Amino acid sequence: MITYILRRLLVSIPILLGITVIVFFVASKMPGDAVLAMISTETPQAEDLIKLRRGQLGLDLPIYVQYFRWLGQLLQGNLGFSFQTGESVIDMLAARIPATIELMGTALLIAIVIGVAMGVVSALKQYSRIDYTFTFLGFAGISIPDFFLGMILVYLFAIEWHFFPTSGISTAGDAYSLSDNLRHLVLPAFALGLVRTATFMRYTRNSVLEVMNNDYVRTARAKGLNEWLVITRHILRNALIPVVTVIGLMLPVLFGGSVIIEMIFQWPGIGLMFIGAVTARDSPVIMGYVLFSAVIVQMSNLLTDIAYSFLDPRIRYD
Amino acid sequence: MNIRKSLIVATGVLSILTLLCAPVTASAQASPGSEKTIRQAFRTGCMAGPLYTTCGNRLDETVLQGLAHVNWKGDGVKALLAESWSSPDKGRTWIFKLRKGVKWHDGKPFTADDVVFSYNTYADPAVASIIANNLSDVKGYNDFRSGKATSLSGVSKVDDATVKFELNGPRPLWVELKQIYFSILPKHLLSEVKPSELSRSSYWAQNRIGTGPYKWAKYVPDQYIEVVRNDDYFLGKPKADRIIYRIFADIPSILNALAANEIDVMSYEGGGIPVSDIERMQKVPTLNVLPNVDAGLPSYLQFNFAQPFLKDVRVRQAMIYAIDREKIIATIRKGTGKISNTMFPAAWAQSPTLDPYKYDPVKAKQLLQDAGWDSSRKVDFIYYYADQVNKDTVTAIQSYLAAVGVNIVPRLLNPAEIQTVYNDGKFEMGYFANGQGLDPSLGALTSTCGAQLAFTYCNKRVDELYDLALSESAREKRAPYYQEISKILNEEMFRGWLWYEVRPMAFNKRVVGATEHYAEMPTLIFNLPVYNEVEKWDVK
Amino acid sequence: MSAVTPSQHQETEAMVAGEGLWVKARKRFLRHKLALLGLVILSAMVLLAVLAPVIERYSPIALDLGSMGQAPSGAHWLGTDTTGRDVWSRIVHAGQVSLSVGLVAVSISTLIGIVIGSIAGYAAGKVDMVLMRFTDMVMAFPSLVMIITIASVLGPSIYNTMLVIGILTWPGIARLVRGQFLSFREQQFVLAARSIGVSPFQIMFRHLFPNVVGTVTVAATFGMANAILQEASLSFLGLGVQAPTPSWGNMLQDAQSQTILEGMPWLWLAPGLMIALAVLSINFIGDGLRDALDPRSSL
């Protein structure tokens, strides 16, 4: 097992390198550059200034030299400095990652709790009206664009009814309080989480149905065990195993979704930072974000595979 | 391994992780609830400080101040760190007497050394400030930029309270038009930083010591900047205790926050209230809305004169005859803004005999026919305002032009691409706007021979008139020159003049001073520090 | 899509000898009520989109500044937008754009996925290793992020939108195909074919491919639903289909303004519902196809 993990980690290094190469070169092909993006649209600028700033940021070097400079810095544990603000990219990421984890974690919890509950009920009452309703709702959930749901939530719950704030992570300038933070969290987390409950629901439903047809469940029932005990002890316990692995599959999707949700709700996470960096052609920040999200996705793939092998002894890695 | 337990543990760990992350996102800081706080919107990406960005002025000007900033009415300058100034030789040399007893927020005295240091920093090629070119009139600027000199020879300290500026020639309006760009930076904090690494200095985000009415307190990335009252401010103790600049990435979120009483003051860099939303904002009881704030911003069809088919003046005129500008203003633009027929928004700079180019599609067709227009041509048409009203405007322009046989193909540019297009000139027409609010002399930057935004348009008489106007300082003497320019630009249809835009703004009624201040501002001034009298704003 | 699914059935029927399998599959599909509902709705939408030039009541791009922002009425069934364009005409034309973006994008990704997946699965060993690491790499890109970056390079347009979505969403299908090929390649009928000298290309195409058609069809159907959503997100960010060409995504951009959200609900309800309906019915069809073609898979 350990050798398997080590081998996977080794393999992921060239993958990550490949990603950085591709993104670096693709990003350098975006029209305009950081210096031109910085210059106001309303002020005509002297050519010497553009040249100076480019020289300062190293944008006048051939693209492969720029890449190796970036890679060199990376090997020294430095992700470079933002072209736009001069801040260190590591500091920028560190300051924003907690906000993104808070949002994504809560959304994931919402998706799991609602999705699993709906899935279990659906399976236990297979082909009932509830089952059809839940299946329909679940599909409706994955069919609504998350940004659209986000806008409707803002409109209803923040603007019309004033239940929650329109945007942000906490009341700006106030002392931190958990309740204030949570009030800000509700809308974006639901916008991000609700549309993803369907996936958990589907997995749970199928898995529960599969388990229910197993002999030991039939035996347990035949022995006259309390129905509730059968459900919790025998069915859920085994049925929820594969659901755990869905979490790993979900992460890359959540990363993409959180970019848009962070934008709509001005949630100060790395997604918002990334969109700003694309607009400003701030490639060190773009690279920092891509590297971070690629590492997380790689790790979650690995963890999913390991979880599989733990939970399903038939699968062996050697 | 007990699977149920591990599931419970996994869920528990996930919840705890999530909650643990919550407090990290905003560090605790005690603040008494009775404080008077003004909450102002601030655009993202404008944090870099006055050396590197011009969109952060509304924040910069409350913390850092210049010798004299533009008065908010735009009718002159307000003495700030300078007490007075004078020129013994009609604007070739300027002597600034500095205000005495001013202290930096950290208690160090402000002196002439700070002024000399600051101007050298702005001009330093290693710093590469984006507003450096406004110093091009100062003696020694070119030598400094090209590396022949190691400092800006035209700026020198006479004594601790006096600074002398020497210019390359007489510039009677230098203080009003050029000096105003520059905020003074603290030498004692920044002189140790290597110029090329100045942009990375922690000074900008953590410790922005200035001389203004508010002191830098805290910057929380992507969330807000907090500044607190400077009791020793030289124009008097500010009335409000602190200002929170809340950072927003887009306009809809700002409007939502205004409507929900989460912020008090609108920012106007990057756009005001879209005119389509004015009505909605007017219905919010907590807001004062100023729907008709003049943005000093002529919107126009940009012609790329390098394209042969646009060189015929009849083609350019026909396009404006073809567009029913009044109808577009009355409908899409909700009655805001006014028709323009030349560049300068200020009435004193406009000729009284401008051709009004009334909507006349028949005449447009005739002119195009006379010019031999080929209606099968597809014209590349760029624009960069992505909000609904401007997109609708482009759609309307497209449809009006199509009706007379001019087929444009709109192409939306990302902000980062605009300068690229300006540089390589790869476009045919566009829908642009360019701020002219401060003074008609700004027009020289875009309409003289060789200017980037003139796109090869060249009229020697126009160049001459701009120079003549700059040699005078009294408005009544400058007016005839600008009026002649306005007439030429009107007749030659240098640009397809559309209208002067408004930038509607809204303020929460709990803030006293902001609404009054902007209501008195005849024209918004962009990309410049303005004396905003923020120390007089109060909270009910 | 309605026209595509049955014809695919017929093609594959011709390929596979056991006719009974497909009859059963069709029966299973027809039993799936939601899938049938989806098929009906989607057919209607495709019909509307195809007939757009006939059933449009005004030009979708002709504006009428005299009648801006009108609520639905007899003259304008779905009202008019902020420049007086007829929303009904725009919706049906947008259907053409959005559905074809979905269809073309998913065709691109399915094609790439099949090619890479079958080569990796058939060749196994080192080739498989290299191709799968490449697949992992593409998978590790958060796709929306990559789409945003690439879309800013290529510039926004319908074709680039199709292309971008297509070239970034193939790894799922590649993995599916490869997995199935790997499990089949050691089976008797393949070994037999190889021993009598059938070329690898023929083995892949004749013997292995028919076995994955079902799985791929199901995956591609869900992929199309996803592609329509991606187009909407891209257009929402201003990186997708460009005005004045209507797409459901860029029509939804209107709803960003609270004034429209509040005062002119017909402007966002219509495209929002069309996206949701299209995606929903495609998902239902996918679910039905899965039950019909791929009964073993749990999802």
Side-chain angles (χ1 to χ4, degrees):
Chain A
M1 192 65 190
I2 299 218
T3 44
Y4 170 74
I5 296 176
L6 279 178
R7 211 177 61 201
R8 279 286 299 261
L9 287 178
L10 272 180
V11 167
S12 65
I13 291 173
I15 293 180
L16 290 175
L17 266 182
I19 292 175
T20 61
V21 173
I22 294 177
V23 175
F24 199 93
F25 284 84
V26 167
S28 74
K29 287 277 171 284
M30 289 196 274
D33 66 23
V35 175
L36 296 176
M38 211 176 299
I39 291 169
S40 157
T41 55
E42 290 171 358
T43 328
Q45 287 304 316
E47 281 299 305
D48 78 316
L49 178 79
I50 293 173
K51 228 162 125 186
L52 276 169
R53 285 292 283 167
R54 281 199 180 133
Q56 215 178 54
L57 300 175
L59 285 169
D60 49 354
L61 301 168
I63 183 71
Y64 65 91
V65 178
Q66 290 183 41
Y67 177 75
F68 283 113
R69 270 173 60 155
W70 178 83
L71 197 62
Q73 278 183 329
L74 178 67
L75 294 179
Q76 295 161 22
N78 181 352
L79 284 171
F81 298 90
S82 159
F83 286 165
Q84 207 184 353
T85 62
E87 283 175 273
S88 139
V89 173
I90 290 190
D91 292 349
M92 288 176 77
L93 281 170
R96 290 164 177 84
I97 285 172
T100 298
I101 295 186
E102 186 185 348
L103 175 63
M104 278 172 48
T106 315
L108 200 55
L109 266 185
I110 292 172
I112 293 173
V113 170
I114 300 182
V116 168
M118 281 169 73
V120 171
V121 173
S122 248
L124 292 178
K125 311 262 178 205
Q126 200 186 4
Y127 301 130
S128 71
R129 197 164 288 169
I130 288 191
D131 181 23
Y132 283 125
T133 315
F134 279 4
T135 307
F136 186 84
L137 281 182
F139 271 114
I142 47 172
S143 306
I144 297 175
D146 46 11
F147 60 88
F148 187 55
L149 183 62
M151 292 189 314
I152 291 179
L153 290 180
V154 172
Y155 169 61
L156 288 181
F157 292 95
I159 303 213
E160 282 295 291
W161 300 330
H162 294 282
F163 289 160
F164 299 107
T166 54
S167 62
I169 188 169
S170 61
T171 307
D174 276 11
Y176 176 80
S177 82
L178 186 63
S179 63
D180 178 55
N181 182 203
L182 292 181
R183 275 185 61 232
H184 283 80
L185 178 62
V186 172
L187 295 185
F190 270 93
L192 189 60
L194 272 186
V195 300
R196 288 169 180 89
T197 51
T199 315
F200 285 98
M201 192 192 94
R202 300 289 299 165
Y203 269 95
T204 311
R205 182 176 179 274
N206 283 317
S207 163
V208 170
L209 284 178
E210 216 165 87
V211 173
M212 270 166 64
N213 292 329
N214 275 339
D215 288 343
Y216 60 86
V217 175
R218 294 206 188 112
T219 318
R221 279 209 173 116
K223 279 198 303 192
L225 265 183
N226 174 310
E227 179 69 15
W228 178 247
L229 274 182
V230 175
I231 294 173
T232 50
R233 279 259 175 90
H234 296 275
I235 301 181
L236 288 191
R237 186 174 169 174
N238 294 301
L240 293 188
I241 298 170
V243 176
V244 176
T245 59
V246 182
I247 299 174
L249 300 175
M250 200 59 133
L251 273 180
V253 186
L254 273 178
F255 259 108
S258 71
V259 171
I260 289 192
I261 293 297
E262 286 184 10
M263 217 176 91
I264 292 177
F265 289 93
Q266 305 287 301
W267 189 264
I270 51 175
L272 190 64
M273 176 191 82
F274 170 76
I275 287 281
V278 170
T279 313
R281 305 296 191 245
D282 196 340
S283 56
V285 179
I286 298 178
M287 292 305 291
Y289 174 85
V290 168
L291 189 66
F292 175 75
S293 55
V295 167
I296 294 294
V297 170
Q298 287 284 303
M299 292 214 330
S300 74
N301 281 348
L302 179 58
L303 286 178
T304 311
D305 289 352
I306 295 172
Y308 258 130
S309 74
F310 263 115
L311 298 172
D312 187 346
R314 280 167 304 178
I315 299 174
R316 304 216 75 135
Y317 298 107
D318 35 42
Chain B
M1 188 155 148
N2 185 321
I3 286 152
R4 193 174 42 171
K5 263 189 198 153
S6 65
L7 279 179
I8 294 171
V9 171
T11 319
V13 168
L14 191 60
S15 335
I16 290 167
L17 260 181
T18 303
L19 286 181
L20 274 183
C21 282
V24 189
T25 55
S27 56
Q29 201 213 26
S31 63
S34 60
E35 280 197 333
K36 291 176 173 178
T37 304
I38 298 173
R39 302 159 305 171
Q40 180 157 1
F42 188 72
R43 290 303 295 266
T44 188
C46 297
M47 263 291 299
L51 286 167
Y52 304 106
T53 175
T54 56
C55 64
N57 282 311
R58 303 292 85 76
L59 166 68
D60 295 335
E61 69 203 8
T62 58
V63 178
L64 298 166
Q65 306 234 293
L67 296 174
H69 281 175
V70 186
N71 199 333
W72 79 92
K73 288 183 180 168
D75 56 359
V77 289
K78 168 83 180 173
L80 292 171
L81 287 175
E83 214 165 54
S84 64
W85 52 89
S86 60
S87 173
D89 50 5
K90 288 188 177 165
R92 190 180 284 274
T93 314
W94 290 92
I95 310 287
F96 279 79
K97 288 277 176 208
L98 305 183
R99 197 179 286 270
K100 294 199 181 77
V102 175
K103 285 196 165 57
W104 291 98
H105 293 153
D106 60 0
K108 296 271 185 328
F110 156 77
T111 69
D113 290 325
D114 293 310
V115 178
V116 175
F117 166 77
S118 300
Y119 276 86
N120 271 282
T121 303
Y122 283 102
D124 192 337
V127 171
S129 165
I130 70 160
I131 55 170
N133 60 344
N134 290 302
L135 286 172
S136 56
D137 289 334
V138 178
K139 205 174 260 181
Y141 174 80
N142 287 333
D143 286 348
F144 193 14
R145 295 300 272 189
S146 60
K148 276 186 219 148
T150 54
S151 65
L152 189 59
S153 62
V155 182
S156 53
K157 169 180 167 178
V158 177
D159 59 52
D160 263 357
T162 316
V163 180
K164 185 171 78 176
F165 290 83
E166 292 164 275
L167 308 182
N168 292 323
R171 301 283 186 273
L173 286 170
W174 187 78
V175 178
E176 285 81 2
L177 297 181
K178 296 292 182 187
Q179 171 281 138
I180 45 167
Y181 282 89
F182 301 97
S183 300
I184 303 302
L185 305 167
K187 181 183 180 193
H188 64 282
L189 292 173
L190 295 177
S191 61
E192 297 302 311
V193 183
K194 234 171 101 182
S196 58
E197 283 169 10
L198 196 54
S199 66
R200 293 178 196 169
S201 165
S202 63
Y203 169 81
W204 303 109
Q206 285 159 29
N207 187 33
R208 205 181 285 190
I209 297 287
T211 53
Y214 286 86
K215 300 194 254 189
W216 197 264
K218 188 162 65 163
Y219 163 54
V220 186
D222 284 352
Q223 295 185 49
Y224 65 92
I225 299 135
E226 180 181 346
V227 296
V228 297
R229 194 178 63 199
N230 173 14
D231 289 347
D232 301 326
Y233 183 51
F234 52 79
L235 291 180
K237 180 172 150 180
K239 288 185 176 150
D241 294 294
R242 47 182 200 151
I243 305 177
I244 303 287
Y245 290 90
R246 191 163 147 202
I247 301 171
F248 288 92
D250 58 15
I251 303 271
S253 318
I254 295 182
L255 298 189
N256 287 345
L258 268 170
N261 200 7
E262 291 169 22
I263 55 169
D264 302 316
V265 179
M266 176 109 199
S267 67
Y268 57 84
E269 263 99 3
I273 304 173
V275 296
S276 52
D277 288 84
I278 294 176
E279 219 183 297
R280 169 168 77 96
M281 300 308 277
Q282 281 172 329
K283 282 188 198 140
V284 180
T286 51
L287 294 179
N288 277 327
V289 178
L290 302 178
N292 268 311
V293 183
D294 178 13
L297 203 61
S299 293
Y300 50 87
L301 301 180
Q302 178 71 60
F303 301 116
N304 185 353
F305 289 87
Q307 306 289 342
F309 68 94
L310 288 170
K311 285 199 170 124
D312 191 325
V313 68
R314 289 172 297 187
V315 170
R316 304 198 297 270
Q317 289 172 337
M319 296 206 198
I320 292 307
Y321 279 122
I323 298 171
D324 190 346
R325 295 177 287 169
E326 276 167 18
K327 184 82 168 271
I328 293 179
I329 288 180
T331 54
I332 294 174
R333 309 190 76 85
K334 312 287 175 206
T336 63
K338 42 179 207 277
I339 300 271
S340 77
N341 283 300
T342 189
M343 185 141 69
F344 315 126
W348 65 268
Q350 288 180 6
S351 157
T353 61
L354 296 176
D355 188 330
Y357 293 99
K358 280 251 178 246
Y359 175 55
D360 188 346
V362 178
K363 187 161 185 184
K365 277 188 197 152
Q366 188 59 48
L367 282 167
L368 285 168
Q369 199 184 348
D370 295 347
W373 179 259
D374 169 15
S375 60
S376 67
R377 176 191 288 282
K378 295 257 179 272
V379 182
D380 176 36
F381 187 93
I382 58 176
Y383 66 109
Y384 50 80
Y385 292 111
D387 61 286
Q388 196 56 42
V389 170
N390 280 307
K391 280 199 322 203
D392 287 349
T393 304
V394 170
T395 309
I397 290 172
Q398 180 182 22
S399 147
Y400 276 118
L401 290 180
V404 298
V406 176
N407 295 301
I408 59 168
V409 184
R411 170 159 68 103
L412 178 64
L413 294 183
N414 179 292
E417 298 168 51
I418 300 164
Q419 281 293 331
T420 318
V421 172
Y422 285 179
N423 274 348
D424 59 23
K426 278 194 189 128
F427 74 103
E428 294 176 337
M429 281 177 64
Y431 170 61
F432 288 19
N434 185 271
Q436 300 289 337
L438 180 65
D439 186 85
S441 62
L442 283 182
L445 296 171
T446 56
S447 55
T448 47
C449 302
Q452 186 192 35
L453 287 177
F455 297 109
T456 78
Y457 172 83
C458 185
N459 182 328
K460 292 276 189 268
R461 177 65 187 158
V462 170
D463 291 20
E464 203 177 285
L465 288 164
Y466 275 121
D467 280 344
L468 287 169
L470 263 192
S471 64
E472 299 288 347
S473 59
R475 181 171 284 182
E476 51 284 11
K477 288 195 174 160
R478 302 167 69 212
Y481 300 122
Y482 289 124
Q483 291 184 2
E484 190 180 339
I485 298 174
S486 77
K487 183 76 183 156
I488 295 173
L489 299 180
N490 166 263
E491 277 168 358
E492 297 194 341
M493 202 46 87
F494 160 59
R495 290 161 173 174
W497 306 113
L498 296 169
W499 44 74
Y500 299 114
E501 271 192 52
V502 295
R503 198 146 280 193
M505 295 203 283
F507 306 93
N508 198 306
K509 288 177 182 157
R510 65 185 277 277
V511 171
V512 182
T515 318
E516 294 79 352
H517 166 85
Y518 284 103
E520 282 183 15
M521 206 171 189
T523 302
L524 286 183
I525 297 161
F526 292 89
N527 302 329
L528 269 171
V530 177
Y531 167 59
N532 60 5
E533 55 168 11
V534 70
E535 72 275 8
K536 296 181 188 161
W537 297 6
D538 202 350
V539 178
K540 265 188 213 159
Chain C
M1 197 62 202
S2 62
V4 176
T5 319
S7 74
Q8 268 179 353
H9 276 243
Q10 280 147 23
E11 272 171 48
T12 38
E13 269 172 51
M15 266 192 273
V16 182
E19 183 99 337
L21 206 64
W22 291 97
V23 176
K24 265 189 212 152
R26 193 180 306 149
K27 269 194 190 143
R28 274 199 298 264
F29 183 83
L30 293 177
R31 260 212 314 267
H32 197 298
K33 291 200 187 91
L34 286 177
L36 282 181
L37 181 71
L39 199 57
V40 171
I41 297 177
L42 191 67
S43 313
M45 291 176 109
V46 171
L47 207 65
L48 282 184
V50 172
L51 294 178
V54 185
I55 56 174
E56 69 173 26
R57 311 191 62 225
Y58 303 86
S59 152
I61 52 169
L63 50 165
D64 175 4
L65 295 182
S67 56
M68 290 169 25
Q70 285 183 355
S73 66
H76 298 279
W77 293 345
L78 291 177
T80 60
D81 72 1
T82 48
T83 51
R85 292 175 295 194
D86 181 53
V87 175
W88 164 256
S89 310
R90 286 178 69 72
I91 282 284
V92 292
H93 278 271
Q96 272 183 358
V97 173
S98 295
L99 291 174
S100 47
V101 168
L103 194 62
V104 174
V106 88
S107 311
I108 296 175
S109 72
T110 308
L111 194 72
I112 303 179
I114 289 175
V115 169
I116 292 192
S118 26
I119 295 177
Y122 183 80
K126 285 220 174 84
V127 178
D128 175 44
M129 161 84 186
V130 171
L131 284 177
M132 279 304 109
R133 291 296 82 80
F134 179 61
T135 311
D136 283 349
M137 207 170 85
V138 178
M139 248 185 155
F141 289 132
S143 63
L144 186 76
V145 168
M146 202 53 202
I147 286 175
I148 291 171
T149 319
I150 296 187
S152 4
V153 175
L154 295 179
S157 82
I158 303 184
Y159 305 106
N160 290 342
T161 309
M162 295 171 172
L163 200 68
V164 165
I165 298 176
I167 56 178
L168 283 168
T169 49
W170 55 266
I173 291 186
R175 281 194 157 189
L176 267 178
V177 173
R178 170 219 178 229
Q180 302 244 326
F181 269 38
L182 275 181
S183 68
F184 285 126
R185 70 190 292 274
E186 300 303 332
Q187 282 185 14
Q188 288 300 321
F189 66 99
V190 177
L191 293 176
R194 206 176 288 159
S195 68
I196 57 169
V198 179
S199 77
F201 182 77
Q202 279 199 336
I203 294 181
M204 277 200 265
F205 207 75
R206 280 265 169 78
H207 300 275
L208 291 174
F209 190 67
N211 291 296
V212 300
V213 167
T215 327
V216 169
T217 310
V218 173
T221 312
F222 287 121
M224 175 157 172
N226 194 36
I228 291 178
L229 282 180
Q230 301 263 29
E231 184 273 324
S233 304
L234 265 186
S235 298
F236 176 74
L237 291 173
L239 293 166
V241 176
Q242 291 296 290
T245 310
S247 86
W248 291 333
N250 67 22
M251 288 179 76
L252 251 192
Q253 240 191 336
D254 282 359
Q256 264 176 307
S257 148
Q258 290 292 337
T259 303
I260 291 172
L261 207 53
E262 222 175 305
M264 297 181 233
W266 59 91
L267 282 186
W268 54 270
L269 267 177
L273 282 177
M274 290 302 268
I275 294 177
L277 265 183
V279 176
L280 190 62
S281 35
I282 296 173
N283 276 329
F284 282 154
I285 296 171
D287 199 44
L289 285 176
R290 180 168 52 210
D291 281 0
L293 300 175
D294 199 12
R296 282 155 303 159
S297 87
S298 59
L299 245 190

